[in-house]
Amino acid sequence: MINELDMPTVLFLQKTSYIAGAMTLGYLRVTSTESRGVGLLAASFVVLAGGSTLAGHAEIHPALYGPLSLINIVLAVLGYCLLGLAFIVISNPDRKINTALVLIPAALTLATGLITAFHLNNTYRATTFTFLGCLTMAATAVVVYLDAHREPLPIRKLVAAILAAASLLSLIMSLEFWFGTFPLLDVASGFFLMILSKFVLAIAIVIFVSERQHMKIRHLADHDALTGLHNRRFFNANAPRQPLRGDAILYLDIDHFKQLNDRWGHAAGDEVLATMARAVQSILPQSALLARHGGEEFIVFLPARAGDALLHAERIRQAVAELRYPTLGTEMTVTTSIGIARVVQEHSELSDLCREADRALYLAKAAGRNRVCDAELNSAPENCRRSA
């Protein structure tokens, strides 16, 4: 089937695929909140469609062959530069790039064409077009792949692979154009495969953006917006239902938080919560699971391998007491009370362990606050004492 294609058919397919891709990407740009770079990709498809249209007109209007072929190659360079820039931005929307830079290669191509008239030679023009596509897609494939360490989307490797395959295809075509022989792919078949690769890329980008949105929605569902910590829902879903012997739960509660809000305002309370969350997170080992349980209360799951829960709790208590809040005044100090419960027998339930830790927290507050209370060691408030 592919060998039966002729160039007019291929050029028609090229224009229609670019337009279809641009319309799909344009719709995604308008409807998606995670679409930075998608508009550039749609623009690249429009520019490449324009270049393809002019290439067809140049063949049927000999009198206009010179200017149309020059505009064609300039638009091809601009389109590929936009395409490469679009993928770089889509891969990492936080990346800062000056979009106007894509005009420089197009301007240089225009100047070179006016000086040398290289565009009048089909071999030079086709080789330039395909080799530029090779370089652009190879570079963007590397960028998309390397950005996986920052954002490990499942679709990312597929997009990088499609770009790499398109780059290889363009390299084969550029070499065949340069040497004037087509042992692997004839012109029509090569261009058809290049069109197909662009169409597949457009679909992959739709999936790419959708996956990113899904991950952000999931992040919002699993994290507390103020502190950035995991929330109660995530904690309940990920802490083991039946902790092992030696595992522990820590309940942390900021002392006199209501009075703090009443005196300093809710903005001050928010700053205290966020600052305390960062401090506690930095102290805990990586194996611990910290979450905001609600209000001014935090919960920690400590596996037995993390070490002595009482030692970790006391380090947290001391660190919180030493925190300062420059924007709220140097006299501002905050303390926390902590309750600990450990698994002492097999087949214990997480809910029971949390209940015991909550009881220990109550004992710590009843004993005067700013202290750690162990549910296993302390049965009365007067037995809870500060370690320092």
Side-chain angles (χ1 to χ4, degrees):
M1 172 64 182
I2 202 170
N3 291 326
E4 297 175 0
L5 292 171
D6 55 16
M7 278 308 296
T9 302
V10 169
L11 290 174
F12 175 76
L13 289 174
Q14 188 176 44
K15 287 182 288 186
T16 54
S17 65
Y18 280 144
I19 293 170
M23 290 177 64
T24 302
L25 294 167
Y27 178 80
L28 182 64
R29 172 67 181 85
V30 172
T31 59
S32 173
T33 58
E34 302 295 332
S35 59
R36 185 166 185 260
V38 173
L40 284 175
L41 189 56
S44 75
F45 277 32
V46 171
V47 171
L48 289 171
S52 176
T53 301
L54 290 179
H57 282 295
E59 296 296 332
I60 60 177
H61 297 289
L64 299 175
Y65 182 84
L68 288 180
S69 61
L70 178 58
I71 298 173
N72 161 244
I73 190 61
V74 170
L75 289 179
V77 171
L78 178 60
Y80 270 121
C81 288
L82 282 170
L83 184 144
L85 180 65
F87 275 105
I88 291 172
V89 174
I90 291 170
S91 181
N92 181 3
D94 296 328
R95 192 175 273 127
K96 304 299 182 185
I97 296 179
N98 186 353
T99 308
L101 293 176
V102 299
L103 298 175
I104 296 176
L108 291 175
T109 302
L110 176 61
T112 303
L114 293 173
I115 295 171
T116 66
F118 81 96
H119 57 283
L120 298 178
N121 186 307
N122 281 334
T123 297
Y124 293 162
R125 192 171 74 255
T127 302
T128 300
F129 171 76
T130 51
F131 189 65
L132 177 64
C134 168
L135 293 179
T136 301
M137 287 182 283
T140 52
V142 172
V143 171
V144 170
Y145 183 81
L146 292 179
D147 280 342
H149 76 279
R150 185 193 62 86
E151 185 187 40
L153 295 173
I155 190 66
R156 188 179 287 278
K157 290 183 179 179
L158 177 60
V159 172
I162 296 170
L163 284 167
S167 173
L168 179 60
L169 175 62
S170 294
L171 177 61
I172 292 172
M173 292 297 295
S174 68
L175 292 174
E176 289 186 334
F177 276 124
W178 181 254
F179 290 105
T181 179
F182 301 87
L184 297 178
L185 291 168
D186 60 69
V187 177
S189 299
F191 271 93
F192 177 78
L193 291 175
M194 290 173 68
I195 294 165
L196 188 61
S197 69
K198 304 293 194 315
F199 190 74
V200 173
L201 277 173
I203 296 174
I205 287 302
V206 174
I207 300 173
F208 192 103
V209 172
S210 297
E211 280 193 0
R212 175 174 286 156
Q213 286 182 313
H214 177 74
M215 284 190 67
K216 290 208 170 186
I217 291 171
R218 184 173 179 177
H219 183 273
L220 290 173
D222 290 341
H223 288 77
D224 173 57
L226 174 62
T227 63
L229 298 178
H230 291 298
N231 56 24
R232 184 173 182 172
R233 191 199 74 83
F234 182 90
F235 183 90
N236 291 335
N238 289 272
R241 295 289 182 185
Q242 290 189 326
L244 303 175
R245 186 185 296 273
D247 292 349
I249 289 289
L250 277 61
Y251 265 24
L252 290 65
D253 192 275
I254 299 176
D255 296 327
H256 303 296
F257 189 70
K258 184 178 184 303
Q259 290 89 323
L260 185 153
N261 272 333
D262 291 342
R263 179 183 177 187
W264 298 90
H266 289 282
D270 289 348
E271 182 176 341
V272 168
L273 285 168
T275 303
M276 177 180 167
R278 289 193 296 269
V280 174
Q281 184 79 75
S282 67
I283 291 170
L284 289 170
Q286 287 188 341
S287 57
L289 176 58
L290 169 65
R292 185 180 179 189
H293 201 245
E296 70 273 22
E297 195 169 271
F298 300 84
I299 188 170
V300 181
F301 171 77
L302 273 175
R305 66 180 183 276
D308 184 14
L310 187 61
L311 177 62
H312 283 297
E314 181 56 31
R315 288 179 62 201
I316 291 171
R317 187 198 65 77
Q318 289 181 348
V320 172
E322 293 170 1
L323 286 174
R324 293 297 177 265
Y325 310 89
T327 60
L328 305 180
T330 55
E331 71 275 18
M332 163 72 82
T333 58
V334 175
T335 60
T336 184
S337 299
I338 304 175
I340 303 174
R342 296 183 186 82
V343 176
V344 295
Q345 59 183 5
E346 299 296 335
H347 309 299
S348 296
E349 295 291 330
L350 178 66
S351 57
D352 296 332
L353 196 62
C354 290
R355 202 159 28 246
E356 282 297 292
D358 193 36
R359 181 179 67 83
L361 174 62
Y362 171 80
L363 293 174
K365 285 188 171 292
R369 295 180 169 82
N370 189 24
R371 64 198 65 228
V372 177
C373 192
D374 192 322
E376 183 182 354
L377 303 177
N378 303 284
S379 58
E382 57 270 17
N383 293 330
C384 292
R385 294 288 183 267
R386 281 195 307 185
S387 300

